Amino acid sequence: MEIRQITADERAETMFPLQAYAFSPSPWGDENRDTYRRRMTYYRTAVSLIAEESGQALAGMGAFPMRQNVRGAIYDMAGIASVASHPSARRRGFVRALLERLLRQMRDQGCAVSALYPFRPSFYGRFGYVGLPHRRTAAFSPAGLGHLVRAVLPGTVERLPMRDGFDEYDGLVLRLLERQHGFAVYDDVRKAEFREDKKWVAVARVDGEVVGAVSYRIDRFGGDLVADDLLTTGPLGRALLLQFFAHHVDQVGRILVTVGLDDVPELWGTDLAVTTESRVVFPSSSGPMARVLDLEALTGMPVGAGAVTVEVVDDPLIQGMYRLEGDGGQLNVTKGTDASATLTIGGLSGLIYGVLDPIDVVTRGLGEVEAAAIAPLRTLFPQAKPYVFADF
Ligand SMILES: CC(C)(COP(=O)(O)OP(=O)(O)OC[C@H]1O[C@@H](n2cnc3c(N)ncnc32)[C@H](O)[C@@H]1OP(=O)(O)O)[C@@H](O)C(=O)NCCC(=O)NCCS
């Protein structure tokens, strides 16, 4: 078996059959391959690898060059996607070999972190990824927002086709990248495809400044208004967008909208009957996972106070002994000796992303932490809720 990096144009002949068989209804028609081929213009900056035997591609995967906010600092991130192998080539280690090579390559290109959406988290747990919160969807009747219908709010909402609203929408996404832990965004090449999405975007503005935006579609008269993430800079942006939803009361039966981890939809109105849920179903719907690819590159990341030496084990990319110190609110990473915690890369990543307490690391079998190291690890990496946003 040989691993080869291919161009975006080569993907239609090599990766498409693997992906189409794995993720789409099949058999597929020629038109599906043609559509895929056209879309590859948005994959020009993705790194695509295939595993071949006798000239036949038997497994493939890609990495999008993305950026992610981790605790307030922004890092280059490898967004892993398009992972598939030929059914007759499965369980032969091809995907392991591809992922190990791809992660090293992306780390060498400057990616400090990586994220993906797993078909099954335990598969990627073997490669050091740790689970992050799954997106939550709120479902409610617009009638529950009746209090907003006639409210006079100091702002406006404009509905635009995505093509026309994309720049403002994307401008807000980039502002939220600066302030939202976990937020991940694509590069310009990949995101250009979303400008063509057959969706509406509602843009909320106050004094000309965008304070909220949500993309959505309506499935039918009397049916659902299905919205993506409710992106806002604060309560006024949210109120403006909810008021916009409220004005659909005689048009749709339900609003479905993805909400942030700090949103509490049942408090959006006095009589709002709402179901907020996060459904994990394998292989089709699970939360993202993330891992650190380069610990030293995280120097300077905003953290709490504390100092501890950890040994990272079982990871070809970053195993070793590190001294981690919260120095004036910023992380300092240096080589260390005499570790008081032994962490797998999953355990370390869980602490850094704020999704695992040191006790969780131990109870989940992701490391061993001496009693004296629990408090400094906890204060250095306080719990936090990464909201990834990007889907890939
Ligand atoms: C998932 C998929 C890519 C795995 O490919 P594969 O070629 O069988 O993977 P490998 O042989 O390289 O296996 C890598 C490791 O994962 C393990 N593994 C394989 N399938 C697993 C599963 N369902 N759950 C947990 N671990 C699994 C293997 O035993 C192996 O472990 P080891 O290296 O420690 O021995 C393949 O089954 C596939 O294409 N499925 C359909 C598409 C899909 O789900 N893609 C993933 C999208 S996120």
Side-chain angles (χ1 to χ4, degrees):
M1 183 272 282
E2 274 183 25
I3 293 180
R4 183 164 70 91
Q5 182 169 345
I6 57 169
T7 63
D9 288 340
E10 288 175 277
R11 285 177 58 127
E13 300 310 319
T14 52
M15 287 174 68
F16 169 76
L18 300 170
Q19 285 179 260
Y21 188 81
F23 304 120
S24 307
S26 65
W28 56 85
D30 287 345
E31 68 284 3
N32 300 63
R33 194 191 294 257
D34 292 342
T35 305
Y36 185 92
R37 189 175 281 119
R38 276 195 300 277
R39 291 185 57 225
M40 288 305 104
T41 184
Y42 305 113
Y43 284 63
R44 297 188 311 275
T45 51
V47 175
S48 304
L49 298 184
I50 55 169
E52 288 177 314
E53 231 173 35
S54 311
Q56 192 195 352
L58 293 176
M61 69 176 61
F64 295 114
M66 301 177 70
R67 286 182 298 149
Q68 185 178 38
N69 179 320
V70 186
R71 292 189 181 275
I74 296 168
Y75 299 99
D76 284 351
M77 179 192 109
I80 304 297
S82 319
V83 178
S85 57
H86 192 287
S88 60
R90 289 179 186 163
R91 304 296 192 276
R92 289 178 59 196
F94 289 2
V95 168
R96 167 174 283 281
L98 283 169
L99 189 54
E100 285 176 356
R101 159 115 174 236
L102 187 58
L103 292 182
R104 182 173 294 277
Q105 186 167 335
M106 296 311 285
R107 194 275 314 266
D108 292 347
Q109 286 183 19
C111 289
V113 291
S114 174
L116 50 76
Y117 284 87
F119 70 102
R120 184 169 285 277
S122 57
F123 182 85
Y124 293 102
R126 293 161 184 265
F127 299 94
Y129 287 85
V130 69
L132 306 186
H134 194 12
R135 66 165 55 87
R136 296 181 314 138
T137 306
F140 54 89
S141 160
L145 296 173
H147 63 289
L148 284 170
V149 172
R150 290 182 196 285
V152 178
L153 301 176
T156 59
V157 177
E158 186 179 13
R159 168 178 61 89
L160 297 158
M162 181 51 101
R163 191 181 317 111
D164 299 335
F166 183 80
D167 288 337
E168 280 183 298
Y169 179 82
D170 189 49
L172 178 62
V173 166
L174 293 178
R175 276 162 62 206
L176 294 177
L177 170 69
E178 301 288 330
R179 49 192 261 190
Q180 173 64 55
H181 171 49
F183 222 69
V185 301
Y186 285 108
D187 70 354
D188 291 345
V189 170
R190 180 69 191 94
K191 77 183 174 198
E193 184 173 20
F194 310 130
R195 189 184 287 277
E196 307 305 324
D197 278 354
K198 233 167 91 186
K199 285 181 184 171
W200 296 111
V201 57
V203 180
R205 302 187 190 90
V206 173
D207 296 332
E209 186 191 323
V210 176
V211 294
V214 62
S215 54
Y216 68 96
R217 61 182 174 80
I218 292 172
D219 69 350
R220 63 184 166 83
F221 183 54
D224 290 343
L225 184 159
V226 183
D228 302 309
D229 301 69
L230 189 70
L231 301 178
T232 71
T233 58
L236 186 52
R238 187 180 63 223
L240 285 163
L241 293 177
L242 293 180
Q243 181 179 53
F244 177 76
F245 286 155
H247 288 151
H248 291 73
V249 66
D250 295 317
Q251 184 184 341
V252 298
R254 278 195 318 172
I255 309 278
L256 301 172
V257 60
T258 299
V259 295
L261 299 164
D262 293 327
D263 279 322
V264 189
E266 61 271 32
L267 303 184
W268 287 348
T270 310
D271 276 341
L272 180 62
V274 56
T275 303
T276 307
E277 65 175 6
S278 162
R279 267 163 40 85
V280 174
V281 184
F282 304 130
S284 54
S285 171
S286 55
M289 299 180 85
R291 61 157 288 168
V292 174
L293 294 179
D294 186 345
L295 186 52
E296 278 154 328
L298 301 185
T299 290
M301 185 174 75
V303 290
V308 63
T309 302
V310 301
E311 179 171 14
V312 183
V313 292
D314 298 335
D315 185 70
L317 292 184
I318 60 175
Q319 63 198 14
M321 203 90 83
Y322 299 89
R323 178 83 179 153
L324 306 176
E325 286 171 309
D327 195 0
Q330 294 193 324
L331 181 66
N332 194 25
V333 183
T334 49
K335 294 284 177 214
T337 50
D338 295 332
S340 52
T342 305
L343 303 173
T344 61
I345 178 64
L348 175 77
S349 299
L351 292 167
I352 286 176
Y353 277 87
V355 292
L356 296 179
D357 182 82
I359 298 289
D360 297 324
V361 170
V362 177
T363 58
R364 294 271 301 272
L366 294 170
E368 286 164 21
V369 182
E370 287 176 15
I374 291 175
L377 277 174
R378 197 176 273 155
T379 53
L380 195 54
F381 302 117
Q383 300 263 303
K385 286 189 200 148
Y387 171 34
V388 171
F389 168 67
D391 214 353
F392 43 96

